[in-house]
Amino acid sequence: MEKTFLMVKPDGVQRNLIGDITARFERKGFKLAGAKLMAIPTELAEEHYGEHKEKPFFGELVDFITSGPVFAMVWEGEDVIATARTMMGATKPAEAAPGTIRGDYGVTVGKNVIHGSDSKESAEREIGLFFDEKELVDYEKDS
Ligand code: CMP
């Protein structure tokens, strides 16, 4: 079954949005395979955001994601990668539809509450960066 990597960013943790965000994915019917509250080391942040290395906002991006704890998660289900992106809403909060996570809570393009993998390749890469195989739980779930 498909898996994706989702992360409540430091602004979402500070604003007590972990419960709301995890509840949305639970209610949708996806299965939580792993989760942890963690501080991201700078080297991990730089590797995670490696594709943005040349962008002018790279330093800001790394500073922000390491500024406080994040809540890292792995969710599982049919088409979970694309569905989670739809539930998150557009990267820029002003373009994110009401009812989506960023549409409801996002304030700026940098402080946009949640990160989610954008493809199968990035999901595999990001899950591998943030989780050991033994931290992921395989179990049966009815719905
Ligand atoms: P995320 O999905 O975590 O992946 C890359 C991030 O870059 C994106 O969310 C945004 O938060 C961030 N980002 C994109 N454009 C900008 C920008 N102009 N300034 C700061 N951060 C940005």
Side-chain angles (χ1 to χ4, degrees), residues 52-60:
H52 300 294
K53 213 175 194 149
E54 307 305 326
K55 306 257 175 72
F57 56 83
F58 181 68
E60 199 182 311

Side-chain angles (χ1 to χ4, degrees), residues 9 49 52 57 60-61 85 91 102 109-110 112 114-116:
K9 294 186 181 185
Y49 281 133
H52 300 294
F57 56 83
E60 199 182 311
L61 194 56
R85 298 279 295 182
T91 304
R102 287 163 169 169
V109 70
N112 61 359
I114 185 167
H115 167 86

Side-chain angles (χ1 to χ4, degrees), residues 26 85 107 124 141:
E26 285 186 314
R85 298 279 295 182
V107 180
E124 264 179 38
K141 189 168 171 290

